Amino acid sequence: MKELSEVYQRIAPELMRVVEERYVLLNHISYAQPVGRRMLAGLSKLSERVVRSHVEIMKDNGLIDFTQQGMMLTDEGKELLPKLTVSLQEMNKIGELEEALREALCIDRVIITGTTGEAVTDRKELGFNASKLLQDVVTPGAVIAVSGGSTMAAVAEALPVKRVKPIVIPARGGIGERVEYQANVIASVMADKLQGIYKMLHLPDGLTKESLAILTTMEPQIKEIMELAARTDVLMFGIGEAIHMAEQRHISDAQREDLRRKRAVGEALGYYCDIDGTIVYATNNVGIDFADIGRIAHVIAVAGGAVKARAIIGVMRACHRGTLIIDEAAAEAMMALLRR
């Protein structure tokens, strides 16, 4: 049902509102029949004009009859109503799960997308929902900072071409992954889609503090990225499993063992967290720090899959805020962990 709802949202965003309003009207007719339009408007808290429009269509569709005493459900309407009730209750459960996770993680918002079981399809759905949210919050000239990874690549791919003209920067230095998944490339794709400009950060992740200090002092390009990072309006990032990301970043065997000992579960923006949200290790880098998140107007984290449940919980507890976009598989696995 969640997947069907999302299909409707893509094709006709107003459709679910119409369905919900007609469900309310059918329910009130069922309880109060025969009922007139004026009374139905009062019961439903909808205007008489809206009620008139809905009931005319439902009459034409054979769901209600107009009698001298008032409106009544037809046999077809009586048969459809319980089915519609079950369908809307299933969708409401998703809403309840979103709110339960939001409260448990103490963040601003949770958005749950459908799960098909196909990793590529699920990632595309996450990307679509994240791109939709990005379009809602970004303004002309805004600075967008984006991390690397396959999920962020899906976000960039899902963006339509729009004349927003933001400045897009990589949130952190690059790591050893496929070129199309690197933050520099994703920033360039986003900027192209939104008809803005992008800045690249040609800097490997995990340099020593001494090397970073020299580079940030001597290299104008890095200084510019740091200045833009301080002005970030929208931060978008993915979440990874701690040990997997440590391997991608070529962190030493000794450090990986230390991460295991400290029970690190998740990684984002070079920060490794345990499931309680305690940061147990951070790589040396240039760009957005976790300490910066509190001053950024719009923080959007995107991740999917039941396997990432612990990682997502740990990272979002460390963030303390933001909008989290996940799929149903991740949401259910997270809720199971949080209820323990």
Side-chain angles (χ1 to χ4, degrees):
M1 190 65 201
K2 178 68 176 177
E3 289 90 341
L4 189 59
S5 170
E6 288 172 349
V7 170
Y8 291 161
Q9 289 288 353
R10 279 194 175 191
I11 297 173
E14 73 283 358
L15 183 59
M16 290 313 298
R17 176 184 56 79
V18 171
V19 171
E20 289 169 356
E21 287 180 354
R22 290 181 188 170
Y23 168 71
V24 168
L25 293 174
L26 286 172
N27 240 338
H28 283 302
I29 293 171
S30 173
Y31 295 138
Q33 61 185 340
V35 60
R37 285 177 184 156
R38 183 169 296 176
M39 181 180 288
L40 189 56
L43 290 169
S44 65
K45 303 297 189 292
L46 296 171
S47 71
E48 287 191 48
R49 181 183 61 80
V50 170
V51 169
R52 185 182 305 111
S53 172
H54 285 322
V55 297
E56 289 289 347
I57 292 171
M58 290 193 289
K59 177 183 180 295
D60 292 343
N61 289 340
L63 300 178
I64 62 174
D65 270 337
F66 292 171
T67 70
Q68 287 187 340
Q69 292 77 29
M71 288 172 280
M72 300 180 68
L73 293 184
T74 63
D75 289 341
E76 190 176 349
K78 291 175 184 176
E79 184 180 345
L80 177 68
L81 186 56
K83 295 177 183 177
L84 186 56
T85 300
V86 171
S87 296
L88 290 176
Q89 282 175 345
E90 287 180 10
M91 284 193 291
N92 286 336
K93 285 178 184 176
I94 295 295
E96 291 169 8
L97 181 54
E98 288 173 338
E99 180 59 20
L101 287 170
R102 186 198 68 76
E103 288 186 1
L105 298 172
C106 298
I107 57 178
D108 303 319
R109 185 182 178 192
V110 174
I111 298 171
I112 300 174
T113 72
T115 300
T116 66
E118 297 289 335
V120 173
T121 303
D122 291 346
R123 194 179 301 127
K124 285 184 177 179
E125 197 60 45
L126 286 167
F128 169 76
N129 281 275
S131 72
K132 188 176 175 184
L133 180 58
L134 177 59
Q135 293 169 67
D136 288 342
V137 301
V138 71
T139 55
V143 177
I144 303 171
V146 61
S147 74
S150 58
T151 304
M152 289 299 102
V155 176
E157 184 181 353
L159 278 171
V161 175
K162 282 193 172 183
R163 190 174 177 80
V164 183
K165 303 181 76 172
I167 303 169
V168 190
I169 63 171
R172 300 280 281 181
I175 63 174
E177 55 190 348
R178 288 168 56 176
V179 171
E180 63 268 33
Y181 294 165
Q182 290 186 4
N184 280 329
V185 175
I186 294 167
S188 70
V189 173
M190 281 189 172
D192 184 56
K193 291 283 190 75
L194 299 176
Q195 298 185 23
I197 61 173
Y198 64 90
K199 302 290 182 178
M200 287 194 170
L201 181 57
H202 298 288
L203 184 70
D205 197 19
L207 292 175
T208 64
K209 289 182 180 179
E210 293 76 14
S211 298
L212 280 175
I214 294 170
L215 285 169
T216 53
T217 303
M218 302 290 291
E219 180 54 57
Q221 183 191 45
I222 295 175
K223 289 178 70 176
E224 182 183 22
I225 290 287
M226 291 178 67
E227 289 169 0
L228 287 169
R231 292 168 40 205
T232 296
D233 301 292
V234 183
L235 168 64
M236 296 195 77
F237 63 91
I239 297 171
E241 296 172 85
I243 301 305
H244 172 70
M245 295 306 297
E247 289 169 354
Q248 279 205 307
R249 293 175 189 273
H250 305 296
I251 288 175
S252 68
D253 291 342
Q255 186 59 62
R256 272 183 262 172
E257 187 55 40
D258 191 50
L259 289 173
R260 291 189 182 93
R261 184 177 59 80
K262 292 177 178 177
R263 298 182 179 179
V265 294
E267 183 275 342
L269 304 174
Y271 288 83
Y272 294 77
C273 316
D274 64 18
I275 199 165
D276 296 320
T278 302
I279 296 169
V280 298
Y281 176 69
T283 57
N284 296 317
N285 211 322
V286 169
I288 304 293
D289 290 328
F290 264 30
D292 299 323
I293 287 177
R295 62 164 178 75
I296 297 172
H298 304 286
V299 176
I300 306 168
V302 192
V307 69
K308 285 191 178 181
R310 291 178 181 274
I312 298 168
I313 290 171
V315 168
M316 295 315 294
R317 280 175 167 169
C319 287
H320 302 297
R321 62 177 297 261
T323 295
L324 171 65
I325 302 177
I326 51 177
D327 58 24
E328 281 185 73
E332 289 168 2
M334 289 167 66
M335 203 68 245
L337 289 168
L338 291 165
R339 282 174 176 155
R340 287 181 183 175

